[in-house]
Structure formats: C-alpha cells, structure tokens
Amino acid sequence: MNKIVIGIIVAAILIAVFFQQASANPKITICKGQFALCAASACEPTGGRITNQNGDSFPEVKCTCPILYGDNIADLGAGNMTSCEPTDDQHVWSTFWPRTNYPRQQNNFSHDDAQMKGNVVECPASLKQGHAASNCFSWNCEIDKNGLAICSCPMGQEPPETDFLIQSTDTTTDRCFEHPVSLPLVAEFFWTKK
C-alpha cells in the first residue's frame, strides 16, 4: 500500500482515538506551544525505574527527540504531566501531534526536507518486542544544549507479543529492536471500557 495512504490512515486513527478518549477522559486536552515529538525516536535503557502519576513503576529509557511548536495532544492524567505549562524554561513536555515531516533522530535531526520524511512501520507481535517498546506520551523532558529534548520515559508497559506501530526513515523492522517510541495496537486504545 502507498506510504502516504498508510500515513493518512494512521493519522486518522490517532485523531479518532484522541476524540473518543477525550470524550471519556477529561484530562486529554490540546496544548499549544513548544513540545517534544518523540514519535520517531529510539531510546536507551538507563537501568533505573520511572514512576507515573498512578504510582506504577516501569523500566526507564532515555529518548532524544526534536522540539516543535504548535498544537499538541496531551493527557494530563498520564505520565508525569499535570499541566500544559512546562515545569520551567529548561523543560518541555513530550506530547503528540500527527506530522509527516519533522527532524528525525535517524537523520541526526536534519531540517533537510528529504530527510524529514518517514514511514509508519508495523512491529508485529511475532517479533516479541512489545515489552521493549517505549512510551513518551505526556512525560517531562529536559532541553539540552543542542535544543533537543532528552526525555525520561517508561518501557515495558505491554506484553512481549504486542503489535505496535513506529515511525522510521526506512521500511524495515530493524528499529523495532531499538526500544522505539511506539503506538501499541491494543484494544484499549480503540474503545473505552464500560
């Protein structure tokens, strides 16, 4: 299937999920301003643990992400985010907004148009990497000296046999093994429990 069509379908799904979840969860909101977009980043385990607002603890990873500006979707009840406002001028929240072209870690955060394009890649359950995928949605990040966001995020929130989607500059599944920031393809993302 055409890469553009797949990208449009994924963006439509994400927007539909947002509006469906927003109606069920008043903490899902749209923030405006500076945000880290980690959707195409791979991460490094730190060996430490990270705890969310609910007190759940997970293995911690560090992810380097570009900082963008504009509307962005956030969950003020997830991660460690409680407000759209950054904690200070040296921090930014890792949130999400569907974009096809933006600086990507695989291309050294280049601003060249050709290098900012990417693909949506499915990491199938058969790879057994669901437990190694990362989630940076609504987590705090520190702005480094290069103007990039260094985000502390959890991994290990899904079982190994979980399908998930990632963004990559190529179409192989190689990046599925690099603790990528992902969208798990699990039922709870597509309907609310009664």
Side-chain angles (χ1 to χ4, degrees):
M1 191 183 290
N2 183 312
K3 293 177 201 172
I4 294 172
V5 173
I6 291 173
I8 291 169
I9 291 169
V10 170
I13 289 170
L14 292 172
I15 290 169
V17 168
F18 165 72
F19 284 111
Q20 195 253 345
Q21 293 291 325
S23 65
N25 180 353
K27 293 189 175 200
I28 293 181
T29 189
I30 294 186
C31 299
K32 297 181 186 309
Q34 197 169 242
F35 67 103
L37 182 58
C38 296
S41 293
C43 308
E44 292 288 330
T46 66
R49 308 274 305 167
I50 190 166
T51 303
N52 66 17
Q53 293 183 52
N54 299 326
D56 302 319
S57 177
F58 299 96
E60 181 187 55
V61 293
K62 290 275 187 186
C63 313
T64 303
C65 312
I67 297 174
L68 305 179
Y69 189 88
D71 290 343
N72 55 97
I73 300 167
D75 185 343
L76 303 182
N80 56 7
M81 184 175 186
T82 57
S83 165
C84 286
E85 293 302 313
T87 53
D88 59 44
D89 64 357
Q90 294 301 307
H91 287 83
V92 64
W93 295 110
S94 173
T95 55
F96 180 78
W97 194 259
R99 294 201 182 190
T100 54
N101 293 0
Y102 58 92
R104 295 168 186 272
Q105 183 186 43
Q106 283 174 297
N107 289 332
N108 224 12
F109 300 104
S110 170
H111 288 264
D112 177 70
D113 285 340
Q115 294 194 24
M116 291 197 301
K117 296 177 183 169
N119 303 292
V120 174
V121 175
E122 180 180 356
C123 298
S126 61
L127 296 179
K128 299 186 182 204
Q129 290 299 302
H131 69 294
S134 304
N135 168 23
C136 285
F137 185 53
S138 300
W139 288 89
N140 204 5
C141 308
E142 187 174 354
I143 300 171
D144 76 2
K145 64 181 182 179
N146 300 312
L148 297 170
I150 308 301
C151 304
S152 296
C153 308
M155 72 172 191
Q157 293 180 302
E158 301 297 335
E161 297 84 7
T162 302
D163 286 293
F164 58 93
L165 298 176
I166 62 170
Q167 291 188 13
S168 180
T169 57
D170 61 41
T171 57
T172 71
T173 58
D174 293 349
R175 200 150 174 91
C176 299
F177 296 89
E178 298 176 1
H179 308 289
V181 174
S182 67
L183 171 67
L185 296 177
V186 291
E188 58 262 29
F189 282 96
F190 298 98
W191 62 81
T192 52
K193 296 177 181 174
K194 303 286 182 197

